[in-house]
Amino acid sequence: MRLLCLILIIGAVLGYNFMQKNDTQALQITELTDRVSALEEQQKEMLTALEDAAKAQEETRAAAYNASQKTETDNETGSSDAAASGEGVYKDGTYTGEAQGFGGTIQVQVTLSGDEITDIQVTSAPGEDAAYLSQGEGVISSIISAQSTDVDTVSGATFSSTGIINAVVDALGKAENA
């Protein structure tokens, strides 16, 4: 009789431990599932943001390319009003432009003389990471050399360099002869 009671007690303890272990595992699985769902949601948000940024970059490149093609066509055919009147495409002076970078608004100052871009300075970029901004500023020499905003972005600082290019496009738009 005592042996039977002992076996029943041992069985009850083992059964209780088994059920506790299953409950703990079920709780851990639920927590992991919640974490995976949260990570998947973050991944979707990041992917959407990257797709939006890539789309904006492509639109900006297309606009800059179209603007440079129009300028080249106008210069070649002499059909532009500014060219016909002996004026340049841009008014001489210093113009400010701004556009969205990786961490916020980037503001540039573009100096024009005789229809040429002579200087570009980043005047404000409070939200940009200093390392990426510094790397992205390498696009400035490309713009000045090409006398166009239709240049490649800087690898490793794509958003910052795109922001600088778009800010220059904004400044050039303000400098156009009407």
Side-chain angles (χ1 to χ4, degrees), residues 54-160:
K55 183 178 177 184
Q57 181 180 8
E58 286 301 317
E59 289 172 356
T60 301
R61 276 185 181 225
Y65 179 76
N66 290 339
S68 69
Q69 291 298 330
K70 181 184 180 315
T71 301
E72 288 176 15
T73 302
D74 289 347
N75 287 341
E76 289 172 3
T77 62
S79 65
S80 114
D81 292 337
S85 66
E87 296 176 359
V89 176
Y90 300 112
K91 294 177 256 179
D92 289 353
T94 301
Y95 300 89
T96 303
E98 58 183 44
Q100 185 68 30
F102 180 74
T105 301
I106 296 176
Q107 189 176 51
V108 299
Q109 194 172 34
V110 179
T111 304
L112 298 166
S113 177
D115 260 359
E116 288 190 7
I117 302 169
T118 57
D119 188 37
I120 301 171
Q121 296 292 320
V122 175
T123 57
S124 174
E128 293 296 304
D129 181 272
Y132 291 123
L133 181 63
S134 175
Q135 194 175 356
E137 286 177 334
V139 78
I140 292 172
S141 61
S142 298
I143 294 171
I144 293 172
S145 295
Q147 289 296 303
S148 170
T149 55
D150 188 24
V151 296
D152 291 333
T153 58
V154 175
S155 179
T158 304
F159 294 110
S160 296

Side-chain angles (χ1 to χ4, degrees), residues 47-58:
L47 184 58
T48 300
L50 286 172
E51 288 172 345
D52 291 345
K55 183 178 177 184
Q57 181 180 8
E58 286 301 317

